[in-house]
Amino acid sequence: TEPSLTSTAAVSSWPTRLSSPFFPFQNSVLMLHGSLSHRGRSLSLNPTGYTSFWNDCISSGLRGCMLVELALRGRIQLEACGVRRKSLLARKVICKSDAPTGDVLLDEALKHIKETQPPETVQSWIELLSGETWNPLKLHYQLRNVRERLAKNLVEKGVLTTEKQNFLLFDMTTHPLTNSTIKQRLVKKVQDSVLEKWVNDPHRMDKRVLSLILLAHSSDVLENAFAPLQDDQYDLGMKRVHTLLELEPEKESSKPNANELMWAVVAAFTK
C-alpha cells in the first residue's frame, strides 16, 4: 500500500519550493506525500490552531479532498458515459480497486463507496460523508470528527500540538502549529503555483496542486495562503485563481490524461 498520509516519511517529504507537486496529494500524492485532506486541514488552521467559527464550508471541502485523493490513487472512478453522454455530476462513483490505502479515513470512505448499491454521485457522496443528508437511513455514511482526527494525526507527527483555549463561556481544544516550516512550505507551494511557476494551463499543473487551490478556495481557506503576499502579488495570484475557477469542468474532463472524477468534484464546488 501507499505510505500512510500521516507517516513520518509523509511529513518529512512534503516538498520544498523546488520540489514537485501538492494537497497535494513526492510525484503525485507523494510529492508532498500527505493527502489533500491533510493539506486542506493545514491551510484551514490559523496560528492559534482553530478554524473560524464562521467557516461552514471546510467539512464538505475535506470530503471533496478525500474523493479526489481516492481517484488519483486509482481507487474510485466515474461510471462510463454510455451512448448518451451524462454530465459529470450525473454519473455515479464506482469502486475501481479496494486495495487499502494505508490511511484510516480514506479506507473508511472507500469501504462505503464499494458497499453502496446502487452507486451514488459525487455530489451525493460529499453530502453523505459530511452528514449533510436528511435521509436517516444514510446517516451511517457520515465520516465523523474528520477535522479532529486529521489534527490528531498531525499532532502525532509533531506538526501540531494540543492546547485548551478559553473562549468566554467555554473552553475549546485547539491544535497550534509546532512545526511552522512544514506549513510554510505548503503555503509557498500554493503561492508559487499561481505566481513564479504559473504555467497558464491546468493540465500542465500537478493535479493535487490544482485540486487543492480550487477546493481550498471553495472552503474559504485559500486566503490563509495568500495573506502574507505583497499587494501586487496577491492581486496577480487571485486573478489567476479566478482564471482556474472559470474553467468548465465538463470540457476539461474530456481532455487527454484528465481525471474525470477530480473534475466532477471541482464541478460540485465551483458550479
Side-chain angles (χ1 to χ4, degrees):
T1 64
E2 289 92 345
S4 167
L5 302 180
T6 55
S7 67
T8 302
V11 172
S12 63
S13 298
W14 286 11
T16 61
R17 177 176 174 181
L18 298 179
S19 67
S20 280
F22 173 37
F23 198 126
F25 285 138
Q26 219 176 21
N27 275 344
S28 56
V29 179
L30 307 179
M31 192 46 104
L32 284 189
H33 235 71
S35 78
L36 281 180
S37 50
H38 277 79
R39 290 169 193 150
R41 178 64 174 134
S42 295
L43 284 182
S44 74
L45 294 171
N46 66 22
T48 59
Y50 62 91
T51 306
S52 169
F53 290 120
W54 310 112
N55 189 328
D56 59 356
C57 309
I58 188 65
S59 291
S60 57
L62 289 172
R63 273 60 172 193
C65 290
M66 291 179 187
L67 293 177
V68 173
E69 185 71 33
L70 286 170
L72 295 181
R73 290 189 180 211
R75 299 309 196 276
I76 60 176
Q77 63 185 18
L78 293 182
E79 64 179 346
C81 289
V83 178
R84 299 176 61 185
R85 186 175 179 85
K86 294 181 180 179
S87 69
L88 292 172
L89 295 182
R91 293 162 65 185
K92 308 296 186 180
V93 178
I94 60 176
C95 178
K96 183 179 179 181
S97 168
D98 63 356
T101 65
D103 179 90
V104 174
L105 282 169
L106 291 182
D107 288 344
E108 190 175 326
L110 181 60
K111 182 175 184 291
H112 285 318
I113 293 171
K114 176 189 175 184
E115 296 178 351
T116 299
Q117 294 296 331
E120 300 279 358
T121 63
V122 161
Q123 185 70 66
S124 293
W125 275 118
I126 292 171
E127 295 171 357
L128 291 171
L129 295 175
S130 59
E132 296 175 359
T133 175
W134 294 101
N135 187 337
L137 299 179
K138 294 186 176 183
L139 290 176
H140 66 284
Y141 288 120
Q142 182 180 3
L143 297 180
R144 300 182 182 277
N145 305 315
V146 167
R147 279 185 268 185
E148 186 65 20
R149 289 160 74 183
L150 288 172
K152 286 182 177 179
N153 284 336
L154 293 173
V155 168
E156 291 173 2
K157 300 308 170 187
V159 180
L160 307 179
T161 188
T162 301
E163 293 181 357
K164 290 283 188 180
Q165 289 204 8
N166 181 268
F167 291 89
L168 298 179
L169 301 179
F170 57 93
D171 290 333
M172 173 176 281
T173 299
T174 63
H175 299 285
L177 284 165
T178 58
N179 189 337
S180 60
T181 301
I182 290 178
K183 181 173 180 179
Q184 288 169 359
R185 288 160 63 185
L186 173 58
V187 167
K188 185 63 175 173
K189 188 72 180 177
V190 173
Q191 294 171 350
D192 282 353
S193 67
V194 295
L195 293 172
E196 295 181 21
K197 297 183 179 180
W198 174 246
V199 294
N200 201 32
D201 178 356
H203 297 279
R204 292 173 57 200
M205 295 177 68
D206 176 78
K207 291 181 174 64
R208 290 184 174 81
V209 176
L210 177 61
S211 301
L212 180 60
I213 291 172
L214 296 175
L215 296 185
H217 182 276
S218 298
S219 300
D220 291 335
V221 298
L222 189 60
E223 179 70 23
N224 293 4
F226 285 3
L229 295 172
Q230 299 293 323
D231 289 348
D232 57 338
Q233 292 178 313
Y234 178 91
D235 291 342
L236 178 59
M238 289 306 299
K239 179 181 179 180
R240 289 171 173 171
V241 168
H242 284 291
T243 297
L244 297 175
L245 291 168
E246 291 169 359
L247 294 170
E248 290 295 334
E250 296 286 349
K251 179 180 178 180
E252 302 302 325
S253 69
S254 65
K255 294 183 178 181
N257 300 316
N259 186 294
E260 291 183 318
L261 196 143
M262 183 199 84
W263 285 106
V265 172
V266 170
F269 283 94
T270 62
K271 302 301 176 184

